[in-house]
Amino acid sequence: MASLCQEEDSETPTVQCVPSGFKIVANDYGPNFVCETCNVAVYR
């Protein structure tokens, strides 16, 4: 399970931790999670 937080005046959340085997890919709308092995995006 990933952990995110967002400051009151921030537009996008900050990732506090991400599970092993996944990576974070930032975009204009916030962080996206991607499998490191197959490079497939995780949908929320």
Side-chain angles (χ1 to χ4, degrees):
M1 184 181 306
S3 177
L4 302 144
C5 71
Q6 186 168 355
E7 297 294 325
E8 194 170 309
D9 58 346
S10 177
E11 292 185 18
T12 59
T14 301
V15 178
Q16 293 181 316
C17 70
V18 63
S20 177
F22 293 91
K23 63 183 177 181
I24 301 165
V25 178
N27 68 24
D28 293 341
Y29 304 106
N32 285 327
F33 299 91
V34 177
C35 175
E36 289 182 326
T37 304
C38 63
N39 209 34
V40 174
V42 175
Y43 294 99
R44 304 176 221 157

